[in-house]
Amino acid sequence: MRCAVISRKFDLRAYYGKALAQIADRIESVDHPVTDGAEAVRIALAWHPHADAFERYPNLKAVCTIGAGADNVLACPSLPSDVHVVRVVDPGQAQMMAGFVTWHVIWHQRKFATFMQHQRDRIWQRLEQRPASTVPVAILGYGKIGERVATHLTGLGFPVKAWSRTPKPMAPDVQGFHGRDGLFAMLAETEVLVNLLPLTPETRGLLNRDVFAAMKPGGYLIQTGRGEQMVEADFLSALESGQLSGASLDVFAVEPLPTDHVFWHHPKIVMTPHDACDVSFAAVADTLVATAAAIEAGQRPPHAVDRSRGY
Ligand code: NAP
Ligand code: GLV
Protein backbone atom coordinates (compact mmCIF):
# COMPACT_ATOMS: atom_id res chain seq x y z
CA MET A 1 0.00 0.00 0.00
CA ARG A 2 1.30 3.45 -0.89
CA CYS A 3 2.03 5.82 2.00
CA ALA A 4 2.84 9.53 1.74
CA VAL A 5 5.44 10.74 4.28
CA ILE A 6 4.52 14.28 5.34
CA SER A 7 6.04 16.82 7.73
CA ARG A 8 6.80 20.52 7.50
CA LYS A 9 8.90 20.37 10.69
CA PHE A 10 10.94 17.18 10.67
CA ASP A 11 12.79 15.06 8.16
CA LEU A 12 10.73 11.93 8.83
CA ARG A 13 12.62 10.06 6.13
CA ALA A 14 15.96 10.67 7.85
CA TYR A 15 14.53 9.63 11.22
CA TYR A 16 12.33 6.67 10.25
CA GLY A 17 14.05 5.58 7.02
CA LYS A 18 15.31 2.32 8.55
CA ALA A 19 11.86 1.43 9.90
CA LEU A 20 10.24 2.26 6.55
CA ALA A 21 12.83 0.12 4.74
CA GLN A 22 12.00 -2.85 6.97
CA ILE A 23 8.34 -2.78 5.95
CA ALA A 24 8.95 -1.82 2.30
CA ASP A 25 7.48 -5.14 1.10
CA ARG A 26 4.09 -4.10 2.57
CA ILE A 27 4.24 -0.29 2.60
CA GLU A 28 5.63 1.73 -0.29
CA SER A 29 6.59 5.05 1.33
CA VAL A 30 6.90 8.14 -0.87
CA ASP A 31 7.87 11.62 0.28
CA HIS A 32 5.32 14.43 0.15
CA PRO A 33 4.50 16.05 -2.20
CA VAL A 34 3.90 12.90 -4.21
CA THR A 35 3.81 14.03 -7.84
CA ASP A 36 3.50 10.72 -9.63
CA GLY A 37 0.67 8.47 -8.49
CA ALA A 38 -0.81 10.66 -5.76
CA GLU A 39 -4.18 8.96 -6.34
CA ALA A 40 -2.63 5.64 -5.27
CA VAL A 41 -1.78 7.02 -1.82
CA ARG A 42 -4.13 5.43 0.74
CA ILE A 43 -2.30 6.08 4.00
CA ALA A 44 0.09 8.75 5.26
CA LEU A 45 2.73 9.04 7.96
CA ALA A 46 2.46 12.61 9.17
CA TRP A 47 3.67 14.94 11.94
CA HIS A 48 2.96 18.65 11.68
CA PRO A 49 1.71 18.35 8.09
CA HIS A 50 1.59 21.34 5.74
CA ALA A 51 -1.81 23.07 5.85
CA ASP A 52 -2.75 21.93 2.32
CA ALA A 53 -0.96 18.56 2.45
CA PHE A 54 -3.97 16.26 2.22
CA GLU A 55 -5.59 18.04 -0.75
CA ARG A 56 -3.21 16.12 -2.98
CA TYR A 57 -4.44 12.62 -1.98
CA PRO A 58 -8.06 11.98 -3.04
CA ASN A 59 -8.06 8.31 -1.99
CA LEU A 60 -6.53 8.75 1.45
CA LYS A 61 -8.10 6.53 4.11
CA ALA A 62 -5.88 6.94 7.19
CA VAL A 63 -3.15 9.17 8.59
CA CYS A 64 -0.71 7.70 11.13
CA THR A 65 1.16 9.97 13.52
CA ILE A 66 4.62 9.29 14.95
CA GLY A 67 3.52 9.94 18.53
CA ALA A 68 0.91 9.44 21.22
CA GLY A 69 -0.74 12.80 20.58
CA ALA A 70 -2.59 13.31 17.31
CA ASP A 71 -3.41 17.01 17.82
CA ASN A 72 -1.13 18.40 15.11
CA VAL A 73 -2.65 16.12 12.46
CA LEU A 74 -6.22 16.71 13.67
CA ALA A 75 -5.61 20.48 13.40
CA CYS A 76 -4.57 20.30 9.74
CA PRO A 77 -7.15 22.25 7.70
CA SER A 78 -6.92 19.95 4.67
CA LEU A 79 -7.58 16.74 6.68
CA PRO A 80 -10.73 15.19 5.15
CA SER A 81 -13.47 14.52 7.70
CA ASP A 82 -13.80 10.83 6.81
CA VAL A 83 -10.12 9.89 7.16
CA HIS A 84 -8.98 7.87 10.20
CA VAL A 85 -6.27 9.45 12.33
CA VAL A 86 -4.17 6.79 14.03
CA ARG A 87 -1.83 7.46 16.95
CA VAL A 88 1.03 5.30 18.20
CA VAL A 89 0.46 3.38 21.40
CA ASP A 90 3.88 2.20 22.57
CA PRO A 91 4.38 0.75 26.07
CA GLY A 92 8.09 1.57 25.71
CA GLN A 93 7.23 5.23 25.28
CA ALA A 94 5.05 5.15 28.40
CA GLN A 95 7.92 3.54 30.31
CA MET A 96 10.32 6.23 29.13
CA MET A 97 7.87 8.96 30.17
CA ALA A 98 7.50 7.32 33.57
CA GLY A 99 11.27 7.57 34.06
CA PHE A 100 11.29 11.18 32.94
CA VAL A 101 8.45 12.28 35.22
CA THR A 102 9.87 10.34 38.16
CA TRP A 103 13.24 12.08 37.74
CA HIS A 104 11.55 15.48 37.92
CA VAL A 105 9.34 14.55 40.89
CA ILE A 106 12.48 13.48 42.78
CA TRP A 107 14.35 16.61 41.59
CA HIS A 108 11.68 18.61 43.42
CA GLN A 109 11.28 16.30 46.43
CA ARG A 110 15.03 15.99 47.13
CA LYS A 111 15.83 19.69 46.47
CA PHE A 112 18.38 19.02 43.75
CA ALA A 113 18.12 22.55 42.34
CA THR A 114 19.40 23.84 45.69
CA PHE A 115 22.18 21.24 45.80
CA MET A 116 23.31 22.26 42.31
CA GLN A 117 23.42 25.90 43.33
CA HIS A 118 25.34 24.95 46.48
CA GLN A 119 27.84 23.02 44.39
CA ARG A 120 28.38 26.05 42.14
CA ASP A 121 28.89 28.16 45.30
CA ARG A 122 31.06 25.47 47.04
CA ILE A 123 28.64 25.27 49.97
CA TRP A 124 28.66 22.02 51.98
CA GLN A 125 25.21 21.93 53.54
CA ARG A 126 22.88 19.04 54.21
CA LEU A 127 19.21 19.83 53.62
CA GLU A 128 16.19 18.52 55.46
CA GLN A 129 14.78 15.68 53.35
CA ARG A 130 11.15 14.62 53.05
CA PRO A 131 9.99 11.05 52.48
CA ALA A 132 8.03 10.35 49.29
CA SER A 133 4.93 9.64 51.37
CA THR A 134 4.70 13.37 52.21
CA VAL A 135 4.82 14.60 48.58
CA PRO A 136 1.40 14.19 46.94
CA VAL A 137 1.48 13.97 43.15
CA ALA A 138 -1.49 14.44 40.80
CA ILE A 139 -1.52 13.40 37.16
CA LEU A 140 -3.76 15.14 34.63
CA GLY A 141 -4.67 12.39 32.16
CA TYR A 142 -4.94 8.74 33.12
CA GLY A 143 -4.50 7.20 29.69
CA LYS A 144 -1.86 4.85 28.31
CA ILE A 145 0.95 7.07 29.56
CA GLY A 146 -0.58 8.60 32.70
CA GLU A 147 -1.40 5.17 34.06
CA ARG A 148 2.19 3.96 33.63
CA VAL A 149 3.55 7.10 35.28
CA ALA A 150 1.15 6.67 38.20
CA THR A 151 2.25 3.08 38.78
CA HIS A 152 5.93 4.06 38.83
CA LEU A 153 5.32 6.77 41.38
CA THR A 154 3.17 4.66 43.71
CA GLY A 155 5.96 2.05 43.60
CA LEU A 156 8.31 4.66 45.04
CA GLY A 157 5.88 5.55 47.80
CA PHE A 158 4.41 8.81 46.48
CA PRO A 159 0.70 9.34 47.15
CA VAL A 160 -0.76 9.52 43.62
CA LYS A 161 -4.02 10.92 42.31
CA ALA A 162 -5.09 10.97 38.67
CA TRP A 163 -7.68 12.91 36.71
CA SER A 164 -9.53 11.70 33.64
CA ARG A 165 -12.52 12.92 31.61
CA THR A 166 -14.65 9.92 32.49
CA PRO A 167 -14.71 7.80 35.66
CA LYS A 168 -12.23 4.94 35.35
CA PRO A 169 -10.97 1.95 37.31
CA MET A 170 -7.65 2.89 38.91
CA ALA A 171 -4.53 0.88 39.70
CA PRO A 172 -4.03 -0.02 43.36
CA ASP A 173 -3.03 3.01 45.46
CA VAL A 174 -4.06 5.53 42.77
CA GLN A 175 -6.99 7.75 43.73
CA GLY A 176 -9.16 8.69 40.75
CA PHE A 177 -10.95 11.96 39.99
CA HIS A 178 -12.88 13.17 36.96
CA GLY A 179 -14.78 16.19 35.73
CA ARG A 180 -14.40 19.85 36.75
CA ASP A 181 -15.37 19.32 40.42
CA GLY A 182 -13.05 16.35 40.61
CA LEU A 183 -10.20 18.47 39.28
CA PHE A 184 -10.45 21.07 42.03
CA ALA A 185 -11.00 18.49 44.76
CA MET A 186 -7.80 16.79 43.59
CA LEU A 187 -5.76 20.00 43.30
CA ALA A 188 -6.45 20.94 46.93
CA GLU A 189 -4.32 17.92 47.90
CA THR A 190 -1.68 18.34 45.18
CA GLU A 191 1.94 19.38 45.57
CA VAL A 192 3.35 18.11 42.25
CA LEU A 193 1.11 18.44 39.20
CA VAL A 194 2.01 16.37 36.13
CA ASN A 195 0.28 17.25 32.86
CA LEU A 196 -0.25 14.30 30.51
CA LEU A 197 -3.39 15.41 28.72
CA PRO A 198 -4.02 15.40 24.98
CA LEU A 199 -4.56 18.82 23.41
CA THR A 200 -8.30 19.29 22.76
CA PRO A 201 -10.64 22.30 22.91
CA GLU A 202 -11.38 21.35 26.56
CA THR A 203 -7.74 21.09 27.64
CA ARG A 204 -6.39 24.16 25.81
CA GLY A 205 -5.51 26.78 28.46
CA LEU A 206 -6.36 24.40 31.31
CA LEU A 207 -3.16 25.14 33.25
CA ASN A 208 -4.24 28.60 34.31
CA ARG A 209 -4.33 30.81 37.41
CA ASP A 210 -7.34 28.98 38.91
CA VAL A 211 -5.55 25.66 38.68
CA PHE A 212 -2.27 26.96 40.13
CA ALA A 213 -4.13 28.79 42.94
CA ALA A 214 -5.99 25.60 43.87
CA MET A 215 -2.75 23.63 44.44
CA LYS A 216 -0.92 23.47 47.76
CA PRO A 217 1.33 26.56 48.18
CA GLY A 218 4.88 25.99 46.90
CA GLY A 219 3.74 23.36 44.43
CA TYR A 220 5.66 22.10 41.40
CA LEU A 221 4.51 21.68 37.78
CA ILE A 222 5.76 19.00 35.38
CA GLN A 223 4.49 20.03 31.95
CA THR A 224 4.70 17.12 29.51
CA GLY A 225 1.36 17.42 27.67
CA ARG A 226 1.22 20.21 25.11
CA GLY A 227 2.39 23.82 25.41
CA GLU A 228 -0.97 25.28 24.38
CA GLN A 229 -2.50 23.83 27.56
CA MET A 230 -0.62 26.36 29.74
CA VAL A 231 -1.40 30.07 30.08
CA GLU A 232 2.15 31.40 30.25
CA ALA A 233 1.33 34.70 31.99
CA ASP A 234 -0.60 32.88 34.75
CA PHE A 235 2.23 30.39 35.13
CA LEU A 236 4.88 33.12 35.47
CA SER A 237 2.72 34.94 38.06
CA ALA A 238 2.39 31.73 40.07
CA LEU A 239 6.19 31.30 40.03
CA GLU A 240 6.66 34.95 40.97
CA SER A 241 4.28 34.75 43.94
CA GLY A 242 5.78 31.48 45.18
CA GLN A 243 2.48 29.62 44.73
CA LEU A 244 4.61 27.44 42.43
CA SER A 245 8.14 26.83 43.73
CA GLY A 246 9.35 25.60 40.35
CA ALA A 247 8.55 23.76 37.16
CA SER A 248 9.90 21.28 34.64
CA LEU A 249 8.78 22.16 31.12
CA ASP A 250 9.14 19.83 28.15
CA VAL A 251 6.51 21.27 25.81
CA PHE A 252 5.85 24.84 24.68
CA ALA A 253 3.22 26.78 22.77
CA VAL A 254 5.88 27.67 20.19
CA GLU A 255 8.49 25.03 19.40
CA PRO A 256 11.40 25.49 19.10
CA LEU A 257 11.12 27.96 21.98
CA PRO A 258 12.28 31.38 20.70
CA THR A 259 15.76 32.22 22.00
CA ASP A 260 14.54 35.44 23.64
CA HIS A 261 11.81 33.69 25.65
CA VAL A 262 11.89 34.35 29.41
CA PHE A 263 11.69 30.61 30.21
CA TRP A 264 15.31 30.06 29.04
CA HIS A 265 16.74 32.13 31.89
CA HIS A 266 14.18 31.62 34.63
CA PRO A 267 15.89 30.32 37.79
CA LYS A 268 12.87 28.23 38.82
CA ILE A 269 12.44 26.46 35.48
CA VAL A 270 14.11 23.27 34.22
CA MET A 271 13.63 22.79 30.49
CA THR A 272 13.94 20.03 27.90
CA PRO A 273 13.18 20.41 24.16
CA HIS A 274 10.05 18.23 23.83
CA ASP A 275 12.20 15.21 24.49
CA ALA A 276 10.50 13.58 27.48
CA CYS A 277 10.17 10.34 25.54
CA ASP A 278 10.00 8.90 22.07
CA VAL A 279 8.13 6.12 20.40
CA SER A 280 10.31 3.34 19.03
CA PHE A 281 10.91 2.93 15.30
CA ALA A 282 9.34 -0.54 15.58
CA ALA A 283 6.15 0.93 17.06
CA VAL A 284 5.86 3.40 14.17
CA ALA A 285 6.41 0.60 11.63
CA ASP A 286 3.90 -1.70 13.40
CA THR A 287 1.31 1.08 13.43
CA LEU A 288 1.68 1.60 9.68
CA VAL A 289 1.42 -2.12 8.93
CA ALA A 290 -1.63 -2.61 11.20
CA THR A 291 -3.30 0.45 9.69
CA ALA A 292 -2.70 -0.73 6.13
CA ALA A 293 -4.11 -4.19 6.98
CA ALA A 294 -7.23 -2.67 8.53
CA ILE A 295 -7.79 -0.37 5.55
CA GLU A 296 -7.43 -3.31 3.15
CA ALA A 297 -10.00 -5.25 5.21
CA GLY A 298 -12.35 -2.26 5.25
CA GLN A 299 -12.01 -1.95 9.05
CA ARG A 300 -11.30 0.83 11.52
CA PRO A 301 -7.54 0.78 12.26
CA PRO A 302 -6.38 -0.04 15.81
CA HIS A 303 -5.64 3.12 17.84
CA ALA A 304 -7.65 5.36 15.53
CA VAL A 305 -8.55 8.40 17.63
CA ASP A 306 -12.13 9.46 18.21
CA ARG A 307 -12.18 12.57 16.05
CA SER A 308 -15.29 13.98 17.75
CA ARG A 309 -13.62 14.12 21.19
CA GLY A 310 -10.17 15.03 19.80
CA TYR A 311 -8.02 12.19 21.15
P1 NAP B 1 -4.59 8.67 26.08
O1 NAP B 1 -4.29 7.23 26.31
O2 NAP B 1 -5.52 9.05 24.99
O3 NAP B 1 -5.13 9.27 27.47
C1 NAP B 1 -5.60 10.57 27.57
C2 NAP B 1 -6.10 10.79 28.98
O4 NAP B 1 -6.49 12.18 29.10
C3 NAP B 1 -7.34 9.95 29.31
O5 NAP B 1 -7.29 9.53 30.65
C4 NAP B 1 -8.49 10.96 29.12
O6 NAP B 1 -9.65 10.70 29.90
C5 NAP B 1 -7.81 12.22 29.62
N1 NAP B 1 -8.53 13.41 29.13
C6 NAP B 1 -8.73 13.81 27.87
N2 NAP B 1 -9.47 14.93 27.84
C7 NAP B 1 -9.75 15.23 29.12
C8 NAP B 1 -10.49 16.25 29.75
N3 NAP B 1 -11.12 17.20 29.03
N4 NAP B 1 -10.60 16.24 31.09
C9 NAP B 1 -10.00 15.27 31.83
N5 NAP B 1 -9.25 14.26 31.29
C10 NAP B 1 -9.15 14.25 29.96
O7 NAP B 1 -3.23 9.49 25.82
P2 NAP B 1 -1.73 9.09 26.22
O8 NAP B 1 -1.17 8.10 25.27
O9 NAP B 1 -1.70 8.78 27.68
O10 NAP B 1 -0.98 10.49 25.93
C11 NAP B 1 -1.42 11.67 26.58
C12 NAP B 1 -0.76 12.90 26.03
O11 NAP B 1 0.58 13.02 26.52
C13 NAP B 1 -0.58 13.00 24.52
O12 NAP B 1 -1.78 13.34 23.86
C14 NAP B 1 0.44 14.11 24.43
O13 NAP B 1 -0.20 15.38 24.53
C15 NAP B 1 1.28 13.90 25.68
N6 NAP B 1 2.60 13.32 25.35
C16 NAP B 1 3.71 14.10 25.43
C17 NAP B 1 4.95 13.56 25.15
C18 NAP B 1 6.20 14.38 25.29
O14 NAP B 1 7.24 13.97 24.77
N7 NAP B 1 6.17 15.49 25.99
C19 NAP B 1 5.05 12.23 24.77
C20 NAP B 1 3.91 11.46 24.69
C21 NAP B 1 2.67 12.01 24.98
P3 NAP B 1 -10.53 9.36 29.66
O15 NAP B 1 -9.70 8.25 30.23
O16 NAP B 1 -11.76 9.62 30.45
O17 NAP B 1 -10.75 9.24 28.19
C1 GLV C 1 4.97 13.35 21.73
O1 GLV C 1 4.79 14.48 22.03
C2 GLV C 1 3.93 12.41 21.49
O2 GLV C 1 2.76 12.81 21.41
O3 GLV C 1 4.25 11.21 21.36
Side-chain angles (χ1 to χ4, degrees):
M1 183 175 292
R2 182 169 271 203
C3 171
V5 178
I6 308 172
S7 180
R8 65 184 159 77
K9 263 192 156 178
F10 298 103
D11 185 347
L12 294 182
R13 173 73 55 189
Y15 209 62
Y16 294 106
K18 228 171 165 178
L20 293 171
Q22 274 167 8
I23 55 171
D25 55 333
R26 280 159 290 172
I27 311 278
E28 181 208 359
S29 64
V30 191
D31 292 333
H32 175 79
V34 179
T35 48
D36 199 9
E39 63 291 335
V41 168
R42 297 185 71 205
I43 61 174
L45 179 67
W47 194 247
H48 293 277
H50 318 72
D52 62 354
F54 299 114
E55 286 169 7
R56 186 174 281 267
Y57 309 112
N59 296 313
L60 191 69
K61 296 285 177 241
V63 180
C64 300
T65 70
I66 54 158
D71 48 286
N72 69 68
V73 171
L74 292 167
C76 182
S78 61
L79 183 72
S81 57
D82 59 346
V83 162
H84 295 292
V85 174
V86 181
R87 73 192 192 100
V88 181
V89 173
D90 176 9
Q93 182 191 30
Q95 178 93 353
M96 200 186 284
M97 181 64 94
F100 182 90
V101 170
T102 301
W103 190 96
H104 289 273
V105 171
I106 293 174
W107 167 269
H108 166 71
Q109 175 215 0
R110 301 298 305 273
K111 306 176 182 169
F112 280 120
T114 308
F115 281 131
M116 289 195 71
Q117 187 56 50
H118 284 182
Q119 181 178 350
R120 281 192 290 271
D121 297 340
R122 302 180 189 211
I123 294 173
W124 179 277
Q125 185 186 339
R126 301 182 80 231
L127 299 172
E128 189 184 334
Q129 294 293 342
R130 300 162 61 200
S133 59
T134 66
V135 183
V137 181
I139 302 169
L140 300 172
Y142 193 69
K144 299 286 185 201
I145 298 180
E147 183 173 353
R148 182 65 69 96
V149 171
T151 307
H152 268 243
L153 290 171
T154 55
L156 288 170
F158 291 97
V160 176
K161 301 171 177 44
W163 187 61
S164 52
R165 194 175 55 85
T166 54
K168 297 183 76 169
M170 295 280 144
D173 298 330
V174 180
Q175 194 183 355
F177 295 81
H178 68 277
R180 187 90 188 152
D181 292 347
L183 173 62
F184 284 88
M186 180 179 80
L187 291 171
E189 298 302 321
T190 296
E191 177 171 333
V192 180
L193 185 64
V194 181
N195 179 29
L196 277 167
L197 287 166
L199 180 63
T200 69
E202 288 77 40
T203 66
R204 186 177 288 273
L206 185 121
L207 296 175
N208 58 30
R209 76 178 64 183
D210 298 341
V211 162
F212 300 134
M215 292 169 63
K216 282 170 164 285
Y220 195 87
L221 174 70
I222 301 176
Q223 164 56 326
T224 43
R226 288 290 185 260
E228 296 90 330
Q229 290 162 335
M230 185 168 83
V231 180
E232 291 189 359
D234 292 0
F235 165 68
L236 287 168
S237 300
L239 282 180
E240 184 68 25
S241 70
Q243 176 61 16
L244 286 179
S245 61
S248 301
L249 308 180
D250 183 58
V251 291
F252 305 88
V254 178
E255 295 180 2
L257 188 69
T259 50
D260 59 353
H261 199 288
V262 62
F263 288 171
W264 285 106
H265 309 287
H266 201 295
K268 294 182 178 175
I269 294 175
V270 180
M271 272 175 41
T272 42
H274 199 148
D275 211 6
C277 61
D278 254 338
V279 296
S280 68
F281 297 152
V284 171
D286 289 350
T287 303
L288 281 171
V289 169
T291 300
I295 294 304
E296 263 157 9
Q299 292 166 358
R300 179 182 170 80
H303 309 308
V305 302
D306 178 342
R307 291 191 54 177
S308 65
R309 67 178 194 181
Y311 67 99

